[in-house]
Amino acid sequence: MSVKVRIERRLEVSRTTQIGSILLSLLLSFVVIAVIFSFLGVNPLNAYRRILIGGFGSLYGLSESVAKSIPLLLAGAGLALSFKARVYNIGAEGQILLGAIVGGGIGLAWPDLPRGLLLPLMFLGGFLGGALWALIPALLKTRFRVDEVLTSLMLVYIASDLVRYLVYGPWRGAEQRGFPYSSPFSLSAQLPHLGTTRIHYPTLIVALLLTLAIYILLYYTKLGYEIRVVGENPAAGRYAGMSVERVILFVLVLSGGLAGLAGVGEVAGIHARLGPPEGISPGYGFTAIIVAWLARLNPLLTVLTAFFMGGLLVGGDAIQTALNLPSATIFIFNGVILFFIIAAEYLTNYRVKVEVVK
Amino acid sequence: MSEVPTAVLMKGITKRFAGVVANSNIDFEVREGEIHALLGENGAGKTTLMNILYGIYRPDEGEIYIYGKKAHIHSPKDAIALGIGMVHQQFRLVQTHTVVENIVLGTGNGLRFEEEEVRQKIVDLAQRYSLAINPDARIWQLSAGEQQRVEILKALYRGAKILILDEPTSMLTPLEIKELLQTLRRMTEEGNTIIFITHKLDEVTAVSHRVTILRQGKVTAVLETAKTNKVQLANLMVGREVLFRLEKPSVERGSEVLRVEGLEALSDKGLIAVNNVSFTVHRGEILGIAGVAGNGQRELLEVIAGLRPATRGKIFINGVEATRSSIRERINMGMSYVPGERMTALVPNMSIAENMILKSYRTAPISKGAFIDRREMLNLAQRLIQEYEVITPGPEKPVKLLSGGNIQRALMARELSQQVDILVAAYPTSGLDVGAIETIWRILLSQRPLGKAILLVSDDLEEILTLSDRVAVMHNGEIMGIVEPKEENLEKIGLMMAGALKLEQEQWV
């Protein structure tokens, strides 16, 4: 007698299976993270309770979660589009920083322009900054078949050092007494907030509208059709006379541009100045990868998953101080969740059958 | 029976895959020390039979005897223990490892190996069989021929006395083929037994002692190579029972739609696959290209469809030169292409409706500004599903849920729904069941009265003869002649397929 494990491809994946797999992967992640909490000497239930309360349990917590979900949504919706074309832009973090540099740079250069002109200019510049940063891996991929995963990721570190160079060097504010910050933005370079919260609502509105636009683009336009065909089967795309290169360029540049907008939102809506890269974006570009996958690459669902991940970041901050945990704790969340989502992705497409053979 | 002992005896082997019979009650016998060719077309069941012998598949019925003893082969490990080795069509080597490391991989049981000792053994083996190879080279540095030698050495190192080679020449240059055949002769002199899977007649006659011919999962003949010839082999391989059973009303031949002149193209390996090919296809006619698979047909169609560049020659569509036109331009010029690998023309995970607009999404009524008119898309899909009798629960279902015959019907529907002047169809019925084949045939024939031109490639001679108005025979990248598909031309067609006859261009129809 022996046990035989067979793996079969599922022909049709039902909606219930899909949603079930997402919930299951989250559940399993929380189990694994609970074990890690235990090793750190923290009662996991207590930790989860505090995360929940911290992120979603108060008006303040909720407002913070929404604020953090803004960059996650902008970058995550763009990544969902890119991943749909099977173009793996891993460098949204760098594209966020480039958006912050260009957008922030415009804010610093023309502080006296009226707000109604300066802010749109900053967003436009930030979009172009992120888009151009993503154009580098796009061109390398289409011209020389260089893997975009590596190039886009490596460019994150270059972007980080570029920000560092600027805030330690030429852009350091004279009044910052040696600290690595630019001068504060003028009032017209700062985004308005919702009441006393840190929700810079113009960015939120832009993010929601763009997410909807991406959804429409993907499922109702000719270009979106090409993106989906090329992502599913590049050979069929080529056979139908589509330009695979054009699709790759488009999704990389657009996702980079959206990440760039997120960078502008952070510097103009939260910090009101440029500072060290870790301050501008504590890994939003990487968390956005999880936002996209958790939404199963459906742009509309990224609204939910961005809010969820935003809440988790806020809750994570809360337990770091309350339970005296290392600041890297929240990255463990990211890693474990991504791991299980990808594993669950496999299980939704394949069925594992265990048989006892006599 | 002769007194030469039997190395391999497979009796009554039957193997079914999801309802398809790949091997049907096959008897297969190989004598010790011979080179035995296993000849058949793609899908005839050769590789399946050998995968059974090598323990990759288990037969549903039948028995295997190795050197006269009944064998139970449950895995390649069992096969290796019995002295059977197999060199697969796709090499299974670790690109970044050295030759020695690849050969040793999977043989030891400890963590370390005596490199010097192993090396010496490999060098000795290589010398004995004159398999020139640098034991320290890394696999990625080696040519296809050298990699194959590594695979052969790997089998010999594991103690193989019976060696199965699956289509061993498909990746090789002519010189490498010559060397390989020499090696094989050398190996039989050392007492080894070789099973040589192929669909190339030249190789059978050049190297084998005996040949077993498979057709559609059944043995059609076992012959002494010395007592047969290429024509007989070709006929046994593709089948002779040609049935002109479909009604084919005569259609007046119209104006010229496709013309190719002196076309030349390379294979993926960079060898000349299409050599100075010229022909024309006219409105209302089907030009069939017959030939044994792998003689340049695939490459020819890819060049015409725009998927592969022409290195020489010209292509004209409706009198306009299209040699350098993009795929999209060719589509706009009225060309449709049904490739042999259906799934390269479809998106299996997307809906039938979305697949139906793959060629027409750029034009009205599907295209509306930047958008796709989903209602028109569904209408089109619904209409095509009805017209071509595609069996599906609905146009929103993904294509991958359809059966092979329905997939092909859907593909044909899409390609013929365009403004098509010339349809290029490759192996349109391969892998389909009889009923589906008949439907596809009727669809193709129904295009003639509509004034469309069809270029048809198939390695099923019956199909070519049934459908075509003229038959061009391709061998080794060249057109050997173009004749009418008449009973009295069958002999000629067989000879041309085997490369034994080439008609003067003046004799072509």
Side-chain angles (χ1 to χ4, degrees):
Chain A
M1 209 174 78
S2 66
V3 177
K4 226 173 142 179
V5 179
R6 272 198 308 168
I7 295 175
E8 283 177 0
R9 210 186 161 84
R10 275 180 217 257
L11 279 177
E12 213 170 358
V13 182
S14 71
R15 189 140 288 197
T16 351
T17 318
Q18 286 202 26
I19 294 169
S21 85
I22 294 174
L23 296 180
L24 184 73
S25 57
L26 283 177
L27 185 75
L28 288 173
S29 317
F30 291 140
V31 171
V32 169
I33 295 161
V35 174
I36 295 169
F37 277 138
S38 311
F39 276 119
L40 292 168
V42 173
N43 176 356
L45 287 179
N46 186 28
Y48 282 134
R49 195 177 54 91
R50 278 169 185 264
I51 289 175
L52 207 64
I53 293 172
F56 308 100
S58 63
L59 264 182
Y60 169 75
L62 277 175
S63 77
E64 277 296 287
S65 300
V66 172
K68 283 198 189 290
S69 72
I70 295 171
L72 292 178
L73 179 57
L74 275 168
L79 291 186
L81 178 81
S82 174
F83 296 165
K84 200 81 187 168
R86 299 241 173 115
V87 173
Y88 295 110
N89 177 5
I90 303 300
E93 183 75 5
Q95 293 140 19
I96 289 175
L97 293 177
L98 255 290
I101 291 174
V102 179
I106 292 172
L108 289 170
W110 295 287
D112 302 326
L113 283 179
R115 195 183 228 190
L117 182 64
L118 184 55
L119 283 174
L121 268 182
M122 287 166 71
F123 274 116
L124 185 68
F127 181 91
L128 290 176
L132 287 175
W133 207 241
L135 185 64
I136 300 169
L139 288 177
L140 287 171
K141 184 177 171 71
T142 50
R143 295 283 155 84
F144 305 110
R145 296 170 180 252
V146 181
D147 194 319
E148 75 279 14
V149 171
L150 276 174
T151 50
S152 63
L153 181 62
M154 291 302 131
L155 281 167
V156 172
Y157 302 103
I158 297 177
S160 279
D161 282 340
L162 192 57
V163 173
R164 243 173 244 128
Y165 162 75
L166 290 171
V167 296
Y168 277 98
W171 288 9
R172 174 146 60 188
E175 68 292 346
Q176 298 293 342
R177 284 178 297 168
F179 287 105
Y181 291 103
S182 73
S183 297
F185 289 176
S186 68
L187 273 182
S188 32
Q190 291 185 37
L191 285 160
H193 295 111
L194 200 65
T196 57
T197 67
R198 296 211 291 169
I199 301 173
H200 38 110
Y201 60 86
T203 326
L204 179 61
I205 293 169
V206 168
L208 288 170
L209 288 177
L210 285 176
T211 304
L212 183 66
I214 286 183
Y215 177 80
I216 292 169
L217 168 79
L218 200 48
Y219 289 100
Y220 293 92
T221 68
K222 290 189 279 190
L223 182 59
Y225 176 73
E226 290 186 0
I227 290 170
R228 285 182 295 130
V229 168
V230 167
E232 286 284 350
N233 187 356
R238 216 166 282 126
Y239 157 89
M242 294 175 185
S243 165
V244 176
E245 287 71 26
R246 198 176 74 122
V247 166
I248 293 170
L249 282 170
F250 178 80
V251 297
L252 264 171
V253 164
L254 190 65
S255 62
L258 289 187
L261 292 180
V264 180
E266 290 310 288
V267 291
I270 304 285
H271 308 290
R273 61 182 179 184
L274 284 170
E278 307 77 28
I280 296 173
S281 169
Y284 290 135
F286 295 119
T287 307
I289 298 170
I290 301 166
V291 167
W293 279 116
L294 205 51
R296 301 218 133 238
L297 308 187
N298 180 335
L300 290 185
L301 284 183
T302 56
V303 176
L304 288 181
T305 56
F307 177 63
F308 174 78
M309 289 307 295
L312 217 52
L313 291 181
V314 174
D317 284 344
I319 59 164
Q320 270 168 39
T321 43
L323 302 174
N324 200 15
L325 286 168
S327 62
T329 313
I330 206 66
F331 293 114
I332 299 179
F333 270 85
N334 281 353
V336 174
I337 293 175
L338 185 61
F339 178 84
F340 277 106
I341 295 169
I342 290 169
E345 169 90 1
Y346 183 82
L347 287 181
T348 48
N349 291 325
Y350 295 86
R351 186 188 319 245
V352 179
K353 274 193 174 171
V354 182
E355 285 169 31
V356 180
V357 192
K358 282 181 194 147
Chain B
M1 226 49 212
S2 68
E3 58 268 44
V4 184
T6 300
V8 175
L9 179 61
M10 300 177 82
K11 267 169 87 174
I13 302 287
T14 296
K15 177 74 188 169
R16 300 178 195 88
F17 290 109
V20 181
V21 183
N23 286 165
S24 168
N25 195 22
I26 288 184
D27 291 330
F28 181 62
E29 189 225 344
V30 183
R31 292 176 197 152
E32 200 175 340
E34 76 170 340
I35 298 180
H36 195 110
L38 187 55
L39 177 71
E41 291 190 288
N42 292 335
K46 302 167 299 205
T47 302
T48 304
L49 186 69
M50 286 304 103
N51 278 339
I52 290 172
L53 181 59
Y54 193 57
I56 294 172
Y57 298 146
R58 306 261 306 263
D60 296 325
E61 286 159 38
E63 292 171 342
I64 302 172
Y65 297 85
I66 304 297
Y67 296 115
K69 267 173 66 181
K70 187 161 180 190
H72 298 277
I73 305 173
H74 297 320
S75 71
K77 228 174 173 167
D78 295 340
I80 291 164
L82 287 162
I84 302 170
M86 183 157 178
V87 176
H88 297 274
Q89 207 170 346
Q90 259 86 36
F91 304 141
R92 300 177 180 193
L93 298 169
V94 184
Q95 293 290 317
T96 49
H97 282 194
T98 65
V99 171
V100 171
E101 285 165 347
N102 266 282
I103 292 174
V104 175
L105 191 69
T107 55
N109 32 24
L111 281 174
R112 39 186 240 109
F113 68 91
E114 305 296 332
E115 182 157 1
E116 264 320 300
E117 201 178 305
V118 168
R119 228 182 111 86
Q120 195 50 51
K121 201 173 153 194
I122 292 169
V123 170
D124 288 347
L125 267 178
Q127 218 151 44
R128 190 160 137 213
Y129 294 103
S130 27
L131 289 158
I133 196 88
N134 169 10
D136 299 314
R138 295 190 184 273
I139 299 301
W140 58 267
Q141 299 168 320
L142 303 180
S143 72
E146 290 171 312
Q147 293 192 26
Q148 187 174 59
R149 274 177 238 154
V150 178
E151 284 280 12
I152 293 173
L153 274 173
K154 203 164 105 184
L156 293 172
Y157 183 84
R158 283 161 173 70
K161 298 286 289 169
I162 301 165
L163 194 64
I164 307 164
L165 297 156
D166 189 358
E167 304 273 1
T169 59
S170 58
M171 310 276 280
L172 304 186
T173 61
L175 186 68
E176 284 176 324
I177 293 176
K178 229 174 115 186
E179 284 171 6
L180 171 72
L181 298 184
Q182 265 163 15
T183 305
L184 297 185
R185 286 191 201 102
R186 177 94 192 84
M187 287 175 68
T188 55
E189 285 162 19
E190 294 275 338
N192 293 292
T193 306
I194 312 269
I195 302 172
F196 189 101
I197 305 181
T198 185
H199 60 244
K200 293 185 185 152
L201 303 168
D202 297 340
E203 293 165 7
V204 174
T205 51
V207 78
S208 74
H209 302 108
R210 291 198 308 149
V211 50
T212 295
I213 301 136
L214 288 188
R215 175 167 147 78
Q216 290 172 2
K218 293 194 182 108
V219 174
T220 51
V222 183
L223 302 165
E224 304 263 343
T225 310
K227 292 180 189 157
T228 180
N229 55 54
K230 286 185 201 169
V231 179
Q232 187 190 15
L233 290 174
N235 286 334
L236 285 165
M237 183 162 106
V238 296
R240 185 105 200 220
E241 62 287 24
V242 179
L243 311 164
F244 297 95
R245 57 193 154 101
L246 275 192
E247 219 176 290
K248 196 162 76 179
S250 67
V251 171
E252 185 131 350
R253 192 170 142 173
S255 56
E256 173 190 300
V257 181
L258 177 72
R259 163 184 288 272
V260 300
E261 278 176 8
L263 211 56
E264 182 191 279
L266 305 181
S267 69
D268 294 336
K269 283 263 131 194
L271 309 173
I272 290 186
V274 177
N275 189 1
N276 194 18
V277 166
S278 304
F279 59 78
T280 58
V281 192
H282 294 248
R283 288 191 183 279
E285 82 161 346
I286 298 179
L287 175 71
I289 296 187
V292 177
N295 272 290
Q297 298 96 317
R298 177 189 305 275
E299 288 84 356
L300 173 64
L301 292 200
E302 285 176 359
V303 174
I304 293 172
L307 291 159
R308 185 182 290 274
T311 47
R312 212 171 277 169
K314 286 182 176 153
I315 300 167
F316 297 90
I317 302 171
N318 286 321
V320 182
E321 184 167 355
T323 319
R324 309 243 170 276
S325 302
S326 69
I327 297 172
R328 200 160 151 184
E329 284 163 344
R330 289 176 213 225
I331 293 170
N332 293 338
M333 290 165 104
M335 177 179 291
S336 243
Y337 176 43
V338 176
E341 288 111 18
R342 265 157 235 156
M343 285 309 175
T344 62
L346 293 163
V347 189
N349 281 327
M350 286 168 67
S351 72
I352 295 167
E354 289 191 303
N355 271 283
M356 287 300 106
I357 62 167
L358 193 63
K359 291 275 182 74
S360 55
Y361 74 97
R362 297 185 195 96
T363 47
I366 307 295
S367 159
K368 253 207 187 130
F371 291 88
I372 282 173
D373 189 327
R374 293 188 66 85
R375 185 185 303 252
E376 285 293 341
M377 173 179 85
L378 286 174
N379 283 345
L380 171 75
Q382 202 64 263
R383 209 183 70 224
L384 292 178
I385 284 171
Q386 254 162 31
E387 202 178 321
Y388 289 85
E389 294 165 357
V390 180
I391 298 164
T392 161
E396 308 255 34
K397 291 282 171 194
V399 158
K400 65 179 174 187
L401 292 182
L402 299 180
S403 69
N406 280 305
I407 286 176
Q408 186 68 327
R409 241 176 276 189
L411 181 52
M412 283 280 180
R414 180 184 76 205
E415 291 307 310
L416 293 171
S417 68
Q418 314 295 313
Q419 288 295 343
V420 178
D421 291 323
I422 168 92
L423 173 73
V424 178
Y427 316 100
T429 59
S430 74
L432 303 187
D433 60 45
V434 182
I437 289 174
E438 194 140 338
T439 317
I440 299 296
W441 283 3
R442 282 184 204 288
I443 292 172
L444 286 172
L445 284 178
S446 70
Q447 300 304 309
R448 295 162 69 243
L450 302 177
K452 307 212 166 160
I454 295 178
L455 177 62
L456 169 73
V457 163
S458 172
D459 37 20
D460 180 355
L461 191 54
E462 182 182 340
E463 177 164 280
I464 293 282
L465 295 173
T466 308
L467 299 177
S468 306
D469 297 286
R470 291 184 298 144
V471 179
V473 183
M474 214 168 162
H475 174 264
N476 204 12
E478 287 180 76
I479 300 286
M480 308 299 281
I482 302 180
V483 296
E484 283 182 65
K486 285 186 188 146
E487 193 78 52
E488 61 262 31
N489 283 335
L490 277 178
E491 175 94 30
K492 268 191 209 158
I493 292 173
L495 284 170
M496 289 192 286
M497 281 173 75
L501 172 71
K502 187 167 181 181
L503 294 181
E504 292 300 318
Q505 205 135 349
E506 296 80 60
Q507 294 171 271
W508 295 10
V509 293

